[in-house]
Amino acid sequence: MAPRWSIPLVAGLAAPVGLYISFLLLGSIPLFQRHFLYAHKLNTLFWHDINKPEYWGFARNQVTPFSIQTADGETLYAWHVLPLRAYLKNEDKLQAQPAGFAEDVTSTESFRMLREDPDARLVVYFHGNAGHIAQAIRPDSYHTLTDTSSHHVLAIDYRGFGKSTGIPSEAGLINDGVAAVDWAVNVAKVPSSQIVIMGQSLGTAVTAGVAEHFAMQGVEFAGVIMIASFSNLPTLLSRYSAAGYIPVLSPVRTIPPLLRFFQGFVVDKWKSDDRLATLVNLARHGLRLTLIHAKNDAEIPCSESDALFRSAAGSAIGTDLDDEDFAKWKEERTVLRDDGTFVALVESSQPDIVIREELVPYGGHNDVMLSSPVALAVMRSFGLDSKESS
């Protein structure tokens, strides 16, 4: 007979275990799985008017809200954020325009400033899951990129997010990213060589998919920057903790057959490791790939960026090294700092490929977007380091 003290213990454990099992069973259904993954319905639209960017500290008409059409008929909500340096030179004209959503973005002063500047540089930014274009740290990240530089920013809400139409999926989000870049190149007429594509968290998977798509067409960008990235979704879920403390598949990680069983239900794989290997293989003229991760990221472990670096660097050197040999090879190309962070750098001249992985000490999963290493990565991608020194 079980001791009396064990009865409340078992009862206490039954509730969380039951909830966890229910979560796994629901997660095996594609509809619920995508709601868990993308969390696109969790937003603050009911109290934030994202057509009024001034709420987040932007100058009047520094941000132009507008829409972009995708090839498969969805309407994406977007922001074009002007750099303050350009804004200051055109402040009177910008202040005189009506504020808010632009039905015809091509008729706005901000669009003219982007299209008519042959030296304009643009960061196309893909945010993480949950929320909308102006939720959480996202407006601050746009400020970080535009307040002290000459870089424009184009940010979008994926299908199903914020005010955008549609339902999110892996193929759909990549189509959305492609539509954003197509708008930049074909409507705003910004050359791809003056565009950096950047993503954070889920946005890094979108970035990898978009970069691969255009690489297959022979289109290359000034830079590809991925912050707090992951190698592929099934692997990530075995290590991931939602909001930093809610485990997904990590409790079954010690039982490999059971882990593989649940991983088999993952619909959207998001194989960024394979996509980066393809991107490197397709590079013909040049590639600036930067991976940035915070050491204290509680949601996505920094080892995920290590895996992406290995995939991209392995493709660059064209040699399949085992774990021990690759670790030695990477060590020779790494500057290790006294706080345990590092910069690993791979350079190839034929073609001109630079792959950089940087581990920073602080910033966690989200605030790392506001760090100087991110802004510096953009500057390096645009070649500003070499221009300043020449």
Side-chain angles (χ1 to χ4, degrees):
M1 184 175 179
R4 290 183 180 180
W5 59 263
S6 67
I7 296 175
L9 176 62
V10 171
L13 290 173
V17 171
L19 285 172
Y20 178 69
I21 292 173
S22 299
F23 169 76
L24 289 182
L25 292 174
L26 282 174
S28 67
I29 301 171
L31 173 63
F32 290 102
Q33 183 182 130
R34 282 179 166 144
H35 274 278
F36 293 152
L37 169 62
Y38 298 113
H40 51 292
K41 295 300 183 182
L42 301 178
N43 62 58
T44 60
L45 286 180
F46 52 91
W47 78 68
H48 284 152
D49 185 353
I50 56 177
N51 284 328
K52 296 180 178 178
E54 294 82 3
Y55 176 85
W56 291 275
F58 295 100
R60 176 183 169 87
N61 287 328
Q62 182 188 355
V63 178
T64 303
F66 70 105
S67 62
I68 295 173
Q69 302 300 313
T70 70
D72 58 346
E74 301 297 349
T75 301
L76 307 178
Y77 184 86
W79 274 11
H80 168 211
V81 188
L82 286 170
L84 281 182
R85 291 181 183 180
Y87 182 93
L88 185 61
K89 295 177 181 179
N90 298 270
E91 185 172 11
D92 291 343
K93 291 180 181 179
L94 289 163
Q95 291 275 353
Q97 281 194 167
F101 185 84
E103 295 292 344
D104 177 12
V105 68
T106 62
S107 66
T108 64
E109 184 67 19
S110 57
F111 178 82
R112 182 197 65 77
M113 292 166 60
L114 175 63
R115 180 166 179 166
E116 294 183 5
D117 181 0
D119 298 319
R121 298 184 178 95
L122 176 67
V123 177
V124 180
Y125 175 73
F126 301 124
H127 64 63
N129 71 339
H132 53 63
I133 200 168
Q135 201 154 320
I137 55 92
R138 289 162 195 166
D140 288 339
S141 67
Y142 312 147
H143 277 293
T144 298
L145 295 170
T146 60
D147 283 0
T148 58
S149 76
S150 299
H151 311 145
H152 297 247
V153 168
L154 172 65
I156 63 167
D157 265 335
Y158 315 115
R159 62 189 63 202
F161 285 71
K163 292 179 178 289
S164 297
T165 65
I167 300 172
S169 67
E170 179 174 3
L173 265 64
I174 293 174
N175 283 339
D176 298 342
V178 168
V181 174
D182 277 338
W183 180 88
V185 173
N186 298 317
V187 180
K189 301 298 183 183
V190 181
S192 62
S193 60
Q194 293 169 212
I195 294 175
V196 163
I197 54 175
M198 171 193 289
Q200 184 259 344
S201 192
L202 172 65
T204 64
V206 178
T207 297
V210 171
E212 179 191 45
H213 170 90
F214 283 100
M216 289 178 174
Q217 300 178 7
V219 177
E220 298 176 338
F221 300 96
V224 176
I225 302 173
M226 299 165 63
I227 302 116
S229 51
F230 59 94
S231 56
N232 62 76
L233 190 58
T235 299
L236 172 64
L237 291 179
S238 69
R239 306 170 181 175
Y240 178 72
S241 294
Y245 58 88
I246 303 174
V248 182
L249 292 180
S250 54
V252 299
R253 190 177 175 187
T254 56
I255 312 173
L258 189 58
L259 175 61
R260 289 192 295 270
F261 172 78
F262 282 114
Q263 286 177 324
F265 286 98
V266 177
V267 177
D268 293 341
K269 308 295 186 184
W270 289 111
K271 295 183 177 180
S272 293
D273 44 4
D274 291 345
R275 286 177 170 141
L276 290 191
T278 301
L279 178 63
V280 172
N281 279 330
L282 292 174
R284 294 294 175 264
H285 300 98
L287 173 65
R288 295 291 182 275
L289 172 63
T290 305
L291 306 168
I292 299 174
H293 218 120
K295 187 178 179 181
N296 66 337
D297 190 329
E299 295 189 39
I300 297 179
C302 54
S303 57
E304 286 292 295
S305 282
D306 293 338
L308 287 173
F309 179 84
R310 176 168 184 172
S311 183
S315 183
I317 62 177
T319 303
D320 187 18
L321 302 175
D322 61 27
D323 291 349
E324 184 177 350
D325 287 341
F326 183 82
K328 292 179 180 178
W329 181 87
K330 181 179 179 180
E331 185 179 1
E332 295 171 354
R333 292 156 179 81
T334 299
V335 176
L336 185 64
R337 305 185 181 113
D338 56 7
D339 59 0
T341 62
F342 65 82
V343 173
L345 191 65
V346 176
E347 297 180 285
S348 169
S349 58
Q350 297 295 329
D352 182 17
I353 294 175
V354 177
I355 302 169
R356 179 187 176 101
E357 180 190 4
E358 184 166 3
L359 182 68
V360 299
Y362 307 111
H365 186 64
N366 293 310
D367 288 347
V368 66
M369 272 300 305
L370 313 179
S371 66
S372 293
V374 172
L376 287 168
V378 175
M379 295 169 70
R380 290 190 196 95
S381 295
F382 284 132
L384 298 184
D385 51 346
S386 60
K387 290 179 180 179
E388 290 291 336
S389 61
S390 61

